[in-house]
Amino acid sequence: MNAKVDKLQNYTVIARLDDAIPLNTEEWLATERLLNQVSEFVPMSMLNALTESIINYADDQARRGYILGQEDLVNELKKKASKIA
């Protein structure tokens, strides 16, 4: 049962990040240009694997950052609630 809850919570975080983080940033466009240049010399299967790896890494970092931010928010709210009580 915990695996199902974890999967749902992870999906919720990913959906929230997808809604909040723009995909076509200057940083991504520069990366995309470089990938297009590299594609002239590298087999497409290797380039696809590289792109997938970059995307997975970025998604994981964003998810971890979101979770850390939520944990910090909860801790801050707990501190404020303890001061009121």
Side-chain angles (χ1 to χ4, degrees):
M1 187 68 162
N2 284 342
K4 191 173 187 178
V5 171
D6 288 344
K7 188 174 183 181
L8 178 61
Q9 184 179 20
N10 195 29
Y11 173 76
T12 304
V13 169
I14 291 169
R16 173 74 176 106
L17 289 169
D18 285 347
D19 289 343
I21 298 175
L23 298 176
N24 287 324
T25 62
E26 283 300 315
E27 293 82 6
W28 174 251
L29 293 176
T31 303
E32 191 174 40
R33 280 191 293 275
L34 288 171
L35 287 170
N36 285 332
Q37 289 174 351
V38 169
S39 69
E40 296 176 22
F41 309 102
V42 175
M44 194 53 89
S45 61
M46 188 180 288
L47 186 61
N48 287 338
L50 173 63
T51 304
E52 181 83 18
S53 180
I54 292 168
I55 290 167
N56 288 335
Y57 176 77
D59 281 349
D60 186 58
Q61 291 298 97
R63 182 184 58 80
R64 289 172 188 248
Y66 179 84
I67 291 170
L68 284 172
Q70 292 300 303
E71 289 174 357
D72 289 348
L73 177 61
V74 167
N75 289 335
E76 188 65 30
L77 291 173
K78 284 180 181 178
K79 284 181 190 175
K80 287 182 181 181
S82 68
K83 288 180 183 178
I84 293 172

